Each structure stands twice: as C-alpha cells, then as structure tokens.
Amino acid sequence: MKSPITSTLDPARRDVAAAALQAALVDLVDLSLIGKQAHWTVVGPQFRSIHLALDELVTAARDFADQAAERLTAVGVAPDGRAVTVARESAAKGFGDGWTKGEEVVAAIVDNIAAVVSRMRAHVDATADADPVTQDLLIGQTARLEQLHWMWQAQLA
C-alpha cells in the first residue's frame, strides 16, 4: 500500500530518522519485555525493591517505544514492533528463563540498559543533521535510560 502519511522531511533525511527510530523502537520494546520477564521471575531477599524498580523500567521503556513509534509515523514510516522484528533486530542482551536471584537480575538489567543506551547514543549522532526533532526525542530518552542505568548499577555497589 502506498503510504497514506507523508513526511515533511526530504526522503534522505526521513530515511536516516526512520532507521534510528525503528532501531530504537525494537530495542525499547525488547527492554520492556526483558524488564517484565525479570519482574515475574525475580526471587531473593531484595525481591520487593527489585520487583518495583522493574515496573519503573518497564513503564519508561513502553512509553519511549510508543514515542518512537509515533515519531516514525509522523515522518511517514510505518513502525514495526512485531515480535519477529524485535527478536531479529534488538541490540538488547536478553534475559534467561526460570527463577532468577535478585543480584543476577540487577546485573542483567544493567547490561541490557547499557546495550540499549549504546545504540541510542549512535542514533543521537546519526540524526543530528538529518532530523533535529528526532534527535531531541532520542536525547531525552537516552538521558532517562542513563539515569536508570546508574540507579540499577548502584544496587551492585
């Protein structure tokens, strides 16, 4: 189907913004799923605090995924957050199955947030000239993810 949504960006700039936003979308969807899986399976003495902190992470990741998808739409590209796409393209590290001790959950979340932030920073750089509006969105999301990364790391200190 021909796109019913047109972009105010020229095609080259749109393509740069779309690539960054699509990659961010899959990473953020995956991060939200990883956080929810950890939320359901965390065990140990720190269960309650980790369980609640995971809710905060999942909410942020879901909100950011929605923002990325809506920005994709605004630049005239259909977002793809399907499970198959997320599984194939995410830069997140993933999360194991079964019950997981709190310390292991925290370490896995730190690693996953770091992987997502690393790619987000690349998207910030890539969109600087092509689309400052997209870059601004990604900067704000990256700042919050970096804050969450710090908070999760502090639990390992």
Side-chain angles (χ1 to χ4, degrees), residues 116-141:
V116 171
V117 165
S118 177
R119 197 152 85 152
M120 291 291 279
R121 283 193 159 273
H123 303 324
V124 167
D125 292 343
T127 55
D129 293 328
D131 183 19
V133 175
T134 294
Q135 183 193 43
D136 183 59
L137 175 72
L138 297 172
I139 287 170
Q141 291 179 346

Side-chain angles (χ1 to χ4, degrees), residues 36-85:
K36 201 41 109 167
Q37 181 64 33
H39 173 87
W40 294 324
T41 60
V42 63
V43 294
Q46 296 177 324
F47 163 79
R48 180 126 175 96
S49 63
I50 293 170
H51 186 79
L52 294 173
L54 286 163
D55 276 338
E56 179 183 17
L57 173 65
V58 169
T59 297
R62 285 179 176 167
D63 288 347
F64 293 165
D66 191 53
Q67 292 168 9
E70 289 182 357
R71 180 70 188 149
L72 261 168
T73 302
V75 300
V77 176
D80 187 354
R82 297 172 300 156
V84 65
T85 305

Side-chain angles (χ1 to χ4, degrees), residues 1-156:
M1 163 192 235
K2 185 175 185 257
S3 178
I5 309 298
T6 59
S7 179
T8 58
L9 298 171
D10 69 58
R13 289 174 185 261
R14 180 204 60 222
D15 292 348
V16 170
L21 289 162
Q22 178 59 42
L25 173 62
V26 298
D27 289 351
L28 293 163
V29 168
D30 201 16
L31 185 60
S32 74
L33 294 172
I34 288 165
K36 201 41 109 167
Q37 181 64 33
H39 173 87
W40 294 324
T41 60
V42 63
V43 294
Q46 296 177 324
F47 163 79
R48 180 126 175 96
S49 63
I50 293 170
H51 186 79
L52 294 173
L54 286 163
D55 276 338
E56 179 183 17
L57 173 65
V58 169
T59 297
R62 285 179 176 167
D63 288 347
F64 293 165
D66 191 53
Q67 292 168 9
E70 289 182 357
R71 180 70 188 149
L72 261 168
T73 302
V75 300
V77 176
D80 187 354
R82 297 172 300 156
V84 65
T85 305
V86 172
R88 182 181 61 236
E89 298 177 10
S90 177
K93 301 293 185 184
F95 190 80
D97 61 350
W99 305 115
T100 309
K101 291 282 191 184
E103 301 84 28
E104 294 170 32
V105 168
V106 172
I109 295 300
V110 167
D111 289 346
N112 276 286
I113 295 172
V116 171
V117 165
S118 177
R119 197 152 85 152
M120 291 291 279
R121 283 193 159 273
H123 303 324
V124 167
D125 292 343
T127 55
D129 293 328
D131 183 19
V133 175
T134 294
Q135 183 193 43
D136 183 59
L137 175 72
L138 297 172
I139 287 170
Q141 291 179 346
T142 303
R144 177 66 174 131
L145 290 169
E146 286 178 340
Q147 180 187 39
L148 288 167
H149 183 252
W150 150 60
M151 291 178 173
W152 280 92
Q153 278 186 315
Q155 295 183 66
L156 295 174

